[in-house]
Amino acid sequence: MGEVVVIRHGQTEWSRSGQHTSVTDLPLLPEGEEQARNLRTSLAGRRFVDVWVSPRQRALHTAELAGLTPTRVEEDLVEVDYGGYEGRTTLEIRAELGRPWTLWADGTIPGDASPGETLAAVAVRVDRALAQVQERLADGDVALVAHGHVLRVLTARWLGLPPEAGALFALPAGSYGVLGHDRERKVLTGWGLH
């Protein structure tokens, strides 16, 4: 049985500054490109039967530099739609609200360019993707190249947890995690790997 390798794109200007980035299609920074190239070595021993990539350029370029050939560009792997919080940091949001805020407890708000998205809606997307990925694991590993928050929700759902439990799975830019099995149970077998 294969494993699901979840790969977060390399560093961008906004991931470095902590700005929430969903629909804004930013390129990788030079350090993000280097992070992606470094993944090539650590992933070299795996045989991927599928490589699914978010359509955002930061994910596509990460896959390319990591030596992965996408077999599918997958809309279900786009980042959480932050709505009115797009481009803003957690500290800015907290200052505006005058109270603590996290995506995991408080969610998003509508914005001018996008409506925002609930974690429940993200869970529907990643559950759909995981159901299709599960069918491929008999043939080998599947790589999913995407974004921090969506991959955290996907990991929570793999483990049978609610989407809010994604709060427990911080995944640094340019790193990856491994979702596998311990007998019939779905487990996390590696995290924050480079």
Side-chain angles (χ1 to χ4, degrees), residues 176-193:
Y176 69 97
V178 183
L179 312 178
H181 294 86
D182 179 21
R183 297 180 181 82
E184 64 282 345
R185 177 175 286 226
K186 292 179 179 176
V187 297
L188 181 66
T189 60
W191 200 253
L193 306 170

Side-chain angles (χ1 to χ4, degrees), residues 74-159:
E74 180 53 60
E75 284 289 333
D76 282 340
L77 295 179
V78 297
E79 182 59 292
V80 174
D81 180 346
Y82 299 115
Y85 295 145
E86 179 80 6
R88 302 181 64 205
T89 68
T90 297
L91 291 177
E92 291 170 342
I93 297 164
R94 288 176 176 176
E96 181 181 304
L97 296 175
R99 63 174 174 79
W101 172 90
T102 71
L103 173 69
W104 308 107
D106 303 300
T108 66
I109 60 170
D112 294 336
S114 62
E117 186 176 28
T118 66
L119 292 178
V122 177
V124 168
R125 289 196 280 120
V126 299
D127 285 351
R128 185 170 49 230
L130 284 171
Q132 294 173 53
V133 165
Q134 186 71 39
E135 296 172 6
R136 297 293 291 137
L137 294 179
D139 298 324
D141 295 342
V142 174
L144 305 177
V145 185
H147 315 278
H149 283 135
V150 73
L151 291 175
R152 292 169 71 174
V153 173
L154 184 140
T155 299
R157 300 302 297 145
W158 175 264
L159 297 171

